[in-house]
């Protein structure tokens, strides 16, 4: 079997020798170069499975080589060696297309992990040069661009920030990046930064040692460490308190974590993805989010388009959602009338795909004769600045999906009370089947 080929580029003989010995022990065939010119000549002369380059070279720097490789040998993953603490240079390299970076003095264990991940990337690359197929519904141009972007960033270890309105599917995008990358066999750990109480956040993220504080009765691994070898997805990162932003910044820069009560830092191998529906740049301007952390997590930015910008995808999404709902409610014949389809295509969808799912789930339980009509959809009127007609049911800033569930829950409870909790009669009163009512009661947590 042919050995993988590696190109090492560094003007220090001792570093070249150390890297060569380490890679040869990993069963790689090594070619070494001391200058940018020599490295480019080697790349022109043959193909390599990876390139590891120092940043400072006699006739240029590593960034020049990263750019050259992206243009002339894009299938060759390149990682850069940076001076300790020089994170700005590492970020620039990642933005230019570097797979990852490692800092001096070199940690051999970390280097081995980086090399293993880089080789895995080459093994998973399609032989025909085409990007991997990303399973994401929608044939609109916006979704095609999103799929292309996911495929590109999956080949990197750079931090990615995903932004978009609530309900657009930011966590799904994060999961697809993980699944299409070299970390797909590792864990995917989602963390909602807005759902963890501030006083527990450090312990939850970093873990703690037994006895480090009252109630710490045993060692606990933090969420960051639990993502070792995989991906940590920080959802709603704009809600991260400022004191935790400082600690997260250090984790990203040093690739180390210190549990509460621990005296030493622990190396970690985790890719960080983040998301928010807020404007992070505006949060930085308002002093609510650290500018240095913003630039660390925002190395690559992906925007998830709202549903109103890809209305041509609505029919496909409807079919997919109904197919998923059918076995849950025991009705394989569910379908939309043409009027209902037009209504959905014309609707503004402030809650995006999540709202579409809620609308169809509710309509599936209300419809008669398997056909979902306009009235079953119960679409909300578009709210303008002068329109206060629904202010009594949906409060400003309240998630629309939660508000609609509350309305539905109240209607079911009233029907149950009116029929003295006779579910058969309540279902008749609500114009739905007994099975549908039972499903909604369970779904909404009505006792």
């Amino acid at each position: 079997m042919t050995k993988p080929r590696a190109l090492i580029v560094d003007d220090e003989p001792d570093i070249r020798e150390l890297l060569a010995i380490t890679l040869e022990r990993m069963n790689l065939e090594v070619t070494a170069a001391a200058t940018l010119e020599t490295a480019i000549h080697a790349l022109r002369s043959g193909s390599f499975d990876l390139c590891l380059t120092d940043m400072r070279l006699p006739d240029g720097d590593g960034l020049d080589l990263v750019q050259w490789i992206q243009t002339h040998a894009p299938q060759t993953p390149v990682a850069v060696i940076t001076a300790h603490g020089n994170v700005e240079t590492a970020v620039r390299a990642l933005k230019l297309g570097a797979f990852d970076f490692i800092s001096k003095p070199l940690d051999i264990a970390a280097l081995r992990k980086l090399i293993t991940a880089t080789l895995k990337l080459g093994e998973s690359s399609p032989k025909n040069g085409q990007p991997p197929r990303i399973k994401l519904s929608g044939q609109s141009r916006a979704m095609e661009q999103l799929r292309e972007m996911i495929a590109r960033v999956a080949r990197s270890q750079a931090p990615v920030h995903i932004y978009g309105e609530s309900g657009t599917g930011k966590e799904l995008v994060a999961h697809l990046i993980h699944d299409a990358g070299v970390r797909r066999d590792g864990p995917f750990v989602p963390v909602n930064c807005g759902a963890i109480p501030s006083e527990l956040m450090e312990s939850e993220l970093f873990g703690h040692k037994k006895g480090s504080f009252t109630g710490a009765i045993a060692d606990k691994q933090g969420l960051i460490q639990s993502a070792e070898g995989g991906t940590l997805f920080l959802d709603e990162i704009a809600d991260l308190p400022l004191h935790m932003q400082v600690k997260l910044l250090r984790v990203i820069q040093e690739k180390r974590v210190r549990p509460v009560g621990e005296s030493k830092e622990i190396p970690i191998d985790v890719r960080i993805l983040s998301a928010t529906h807020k404007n992070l740049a505006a949060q930085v301007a308002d002093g609510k989010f650290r500018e240095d952390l913003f630039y660390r997590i925002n190395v690559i930015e992906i925007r998830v388009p709202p549903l109103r910008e890809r209305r041509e995808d609505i029919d496909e999404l409807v079919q997919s959602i109904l197919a998923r709902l059918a076995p849950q409610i025991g009705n394989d014949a569910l379908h939309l009338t043409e009027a209902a389809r037009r209504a959905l295509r014309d609707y503004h969808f402030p809650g995006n795909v999540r709202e579409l799912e809620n609308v169809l789930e509710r309509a599936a339980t209300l419809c008669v004769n398997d056909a979902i009509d306009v009235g079953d959809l119960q679409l909300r009127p578009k709210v303008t600045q002068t329109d206060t007609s629904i202010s009594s049911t949906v409060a400003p800033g309240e998630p629309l999906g939660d508000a609609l569930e509350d309305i539905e829950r109240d209607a079911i409870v009233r029907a149950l009370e009116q029929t003295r909790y006779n579910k058969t009669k309540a279902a008749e009163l609500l114009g739905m089947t007994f099975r549908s009512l039972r499903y909604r009661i369970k779904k909404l947590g009505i006792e």
Side-chain angles (χ1 to χ4, degrees), residues 187 189-191 196 200-209 218-228 232 234 257-260 266 268 270:
V189 180
V191 180
I196 304 175
L200 299 178
M201 189 166 287
E202 184 171 3
S203 172
E204 288 294 315
L205 287 178
F206 297 91
H208 62 249
K209 299 294 289 182
D219 289 354
K220 177 183 177 181
Q221 185 183 65
L223 292 167
I224 295 176
Q225 277 184 276
S226 69
E228 176 69 19
L232 179 72
L234 298 173
V257 65
R258 179 182 292 174
V260 178
I266 301 169
I268 57 165
V270 171

Side-chain angles (χ1 to χ4, degrees), residues 27-78:
N27 201 33
L28 274 75
E29 179 185 328
V30 177
T31 299
T35 65
L36 178 63
E37 182 181 2
T38 307
I40 291 176
H41 177 74
L43 287 162
R44 289 187 187 277
S45 303
S47 62
F48 291 88
D49 297 285
L50 69 94
C51 176
L52 187 61
T53 179
D54 192 21
M55 293 303 298
R56 300 183 65 178
L57 300 170
D59 54 345
D61 63 33
L63 295 179
D64 296 329
L65 185 58
V66 171
Q67 287 182 295
W68 189 93
I69 288 175
Q70 297 312 302
T71 302
H72 299 91
Q75 296 306 312
T76 302
V78 55

Side-chain angles (χ1 to χ4, degrees), residues 429-447:
L429 187 64
L430 290 166
M432 64 174 67
T433 64
F434 173 79
R435 185 169 182 171
S436 294
L437 175 62
R438 187 174 60 183
Y439 170 76
R440 298 309 296 169
I441 288 173
K442 182 179 179 181
K443 172 74 175 178
L444 297 170
I446 300 171
E447 296 295 333

Side-chain angles (χ1 to χ4, degrees), residues 31-265:
T31 299
T35 65
L36 178 63
E37 182 181 2
T38 307
I40 291 176
H41 177 74
L43 287 162
R44 289 187 187 277
S45 303
S47 62
F48 291 88
D49 297 285
L50 69 94
C51 176
L52 187 61
T53 179
D54 192 21
M55 293 303 298
R56 300 183 65 178
L57 300 170
D59 54 345
D61 63 33
L63 295 179
D64 296 329
L65 185 58
V66 171
Q67 287 182 295
W68 189 93
I69 288 175
Q70 297 312 302
T71 302
H72 299 91
Q75 296 306 312
T76 302
V78 55
V80 298
I81 304 170
T82 64
H84 178 70
N86 195 351
V87 182
E88 287 76 12
T89 302
V91 170
R92 287 173 60 200
L94 292 171
K95 282 183 177 290
L96 288 172
F99 172 73
D100 206 348
F101 71 93
I102 189 168
S103 300
K104 293 180 180 178
L106 295 176
D107 181 317
I108 298 301
L111 176 62
R112 285 178 174 274
K113 285 184 178 180
L114 185 151
I115 298 302
T116 300
T118 311
L119 290 175
K120 188 176 179 182
L121 177 68
E123 292 169 0
S124 63
S125 296
K127 302 305 180 184
N128 59 7
Q130 295 298 314
R133 178 169 174 77
I134 304 299
K135 296 179 180 178
L136 197 61
S137 296
Q139 302 306 314
S140 63
R141 180 56 186 153
M143 296 309 286
E144 286 292 343
Q145 291 174 335
L146 181 58
R147 276 189 285 268
E148 292 168 4
M149 191 65 176
I150 291 171
R152 285 204 301 272
V153 303
R155 288 181 52 82
S156 168
Q157 294 300 288
V160 176
H161 180 62
I162 306 162
Y163 76 99
E165 297 176 6
S166 293
T168 50
K170 296 184 290 295
E171 182 170 345
L172 172 60
V173 169
H175 222 308
L176 290 170
I177 292 171
H178 170 81
D179 290 343
V182 299
R183 296 178 177 270
R184 57 185 170 276
D185 295 329
F188 176 85
V189 180
V191 180
N192 189 326
C193 297
I196 304 175
S198 180
E199 63 274 13
L200 299 178
M201 189 166 287
E202 184 171 3
S203 172
E204 288 294 315
L205 287 178
F206 297 91
H208 62 249
K209 299 294 289 182
K210 179 181 178 180
S212 57
F213 56 86
T214 302
I217 59 176
D219 289 354
K220 177 183 177 181
Q221 185 183 65
L223 292 167
I224 295 176
Q225 277 184 276
S226 69
E228 176 69 19
T231 302
L232 179 72
F233 174 53
L234 298 173
D235 198 9
E236 298 303 344
I237 195 171
D239 294 335
L240 201 66
L242 285 169
H243 74 280
M244 289 303 300
Q245 293 178 27
V246 177
K247 295 179 181 294
L248 178 61
L249 177 63
R250 180 169 178 79
V251 169
I252 296 173
Q253 292 183 167
E254 304 297 331
K255 297 186 177 182
R256 293 176 177 271
V257 65
R258 179 182 292 174
V260 178
E262 178 61 81
S263 59
K264 60 182 180 180
E265 292 183 324

Side-chain angles (χ1 to χ4, degrees), residues 314-325 329 334-336 340-341 344 349 353-367 372-373 376-379 404 408 439-440:
I314 289 177
D315 283 348
E316 181 181 339
L317 288 167
V318 167
Q319 292 305 116
S320 175
I321 295 168
L322 289 182
R324 190 169 67 246
L325 286 175
I329 62 177
L334 277 175
H335 64 280
L336 266 67
R341 289 185 182 278
L344 288 177
F349 280 108
V353 179
R354 185 185 299 133
E355 183 185 358
L356 176 60
E357 291 174 340
N358 289 341
V359 164
L360 292 175
E361 191 171 3
R362 182 177 61 250
T365 64
L366 296 176
C367 70
I372 297 175
D373 208 349
D376 302 319
L377 298 175
Q378 297 186 6
L379 298 176
L404 294 177
E408 186 177 3
Y439 170 76
R440 298 309 296 169

